[in-house]
Amino acid sequence: MMQYLYRLNYPQNWDEHTPIAIALHGMGTNYNDLQPVLDQLASDQIQLSLQGDQVFQDGYQFFNVNFERGSKKEETVIGTAIENVYSFIQQLLTQKKLTAHPLHYLGFSQGAIIGSGLVVNYPKLFRQVELFSGRLPLFVEQTAQATLGTNLPSPQIFISQGSLDPLFSPEIGRHVHEIIAAHFANVHYHEYQVGHGITPQTLADVQKENSVH
């Protein structure tokens, strides 16, 4: 079984109905990177931050990006990461006796890529999802078209992209939205005047979208 370093924070008051917010970071950082995002979006939730298992620069990554998009290697590398994360989460929730709690996922960059695969492979797993500055692997897109229906009511999905992102262009973000929205009923897409990152307005918009549902 794949093992990830993780941090699990409990709010002061919680019970069996308290959601668990699961956060996955981008390349070259660690499980502390999304803590400010968790503090704003999930301050009253149980927070589970996972750390990539591969060293990259001054931090970590969940998978090595040495492949071509649409290649068999991409499917093997990212597909393995998606299933490793899923298995680890299930094992940890069972171990901590948290399996009955609703789940909230948020991921940035590699975390968003993995999140897209989790949403497509396990569409009933999460109640709420934020995918910040990611992309959709071709095999995940093909799985969605082959296995998912249309107008699925859950989860609520928020997708954001930076209009100045040097890694994943706005067109990539729009494509993520197009494919995901073809299958899920509750999908929101926003672009921001930013590079590869999350702005305060991004988080404000997540909270705004959540407040009307």
Side-chain angles (χ1 to χ4, degrees):
M1 176 65 66
M2 174 61 65
Q3 293 293 322
Y4 295 96
L5 289 178
Y6 68 91
R7 188 181 63 234
L8 189 60
N9 294 336
Y10 292 86
Q12 186 171 3
N13 299 305
W14 64 279
D15 58 25
E16 66 273 14
H17 304 294
T18 302
I20 301 171
I22 302 169
L24 269 68
H25 61 79
M27 295 173 68
T29 59
N30 56 43
Y31 61 29
N32 295 313
D33 189 55
L34 293 178
Q35 190 59 49
V37 177
L38 285 169
D39 288 342
Q40 184 157 342
L41 299 184
S43 61
D44 57 348
Q45 299 179 19
I46 299 168
Q47 301 172 356
L48 172 58
S49 299
L50 267 59
Q51 184 162 287
D53 58 308
Q54 302 175 14
V55 174
F56 180 78
Q57 295 181 351
D58 294 329
Y60 300 88
Q61 62 183 5
F62 289 92
F63 56 86
N64 191 311
V65 297
N66 183 26
F67 50 71
E68 295 293 326
R69 182 179 188 271
S71 67
K72 190 64 180 177
K73 185 174 181 182
E74 178 192 52
E75 181 175 356
T76 299
V77 171
I78 300 182
T80 298
I82 291 167
E83 292 310 309
N84 283 344
V85 167
Y86 173 78
S87 297
F88 180 78
I89 289 171
Q90 295 302 310
Q91 174 186 280
L92 186 65
L93 295 182
T94 299
Q95 177 187 333
K96 300 293 184 180
K97 297 181 171 55
L98 297 171
T99 54
H101 293 249
L103 301 183
H104 169 194
Y105 183 94
L106 55 94
F108 173 73
S109 194
Q110 280 199 351
I113 294 169
I114 291 172
S116 71
L118 290 171
V119 166
V120 168
N121 290 352
Y122 307 99
K124 296 181 180 180
L125 184 61
F126 302 111
R127 179 179 295 180
Q128 177 183 336
V129 172
E130 286 91 48
L131 304 175
F132 302 116
S133 302
R135 69 174 183 86
L136 195 64
L138 182 59
F139 75 93
V140 173
E141 180 177 333
Q142 292 169 339
T143 299
Q145 294 168 340
T147 65
L148 295 179
T150 59
N151 213 36
L152 298 174
S154 184
Q156 178 173 323
I157 302 171
F158 183 99
I159 301 166
S160 73
Q161 207 78 7
S163 60
L164 308 175
D165 193 329
L167 297 180
F168 305 135
S169 68
E171 289 76 18
I172 290 174
R174 293 168 200 157
H175 183 70
V176 175
H177 172 245
E178 177 186 1
I179 299 302
I180 296 297
H183 301 285
F184 294 92
N186 198 351
V187 183
H188 305 277
Y189 177 71
H190 293 258
E191 288 179 17
Y192 302 91
Q193 288 288 319
V194 67
H196 196 61
I198 302 171
T199 72
Q201 186 61 49
T202 311
L203 303 184
D205 288 340
V206 172
Q207 292 177 307
K208 180 180 178 182
E209 297 288 6
N210 290 340
S211 69
V212 298
H213 293 280

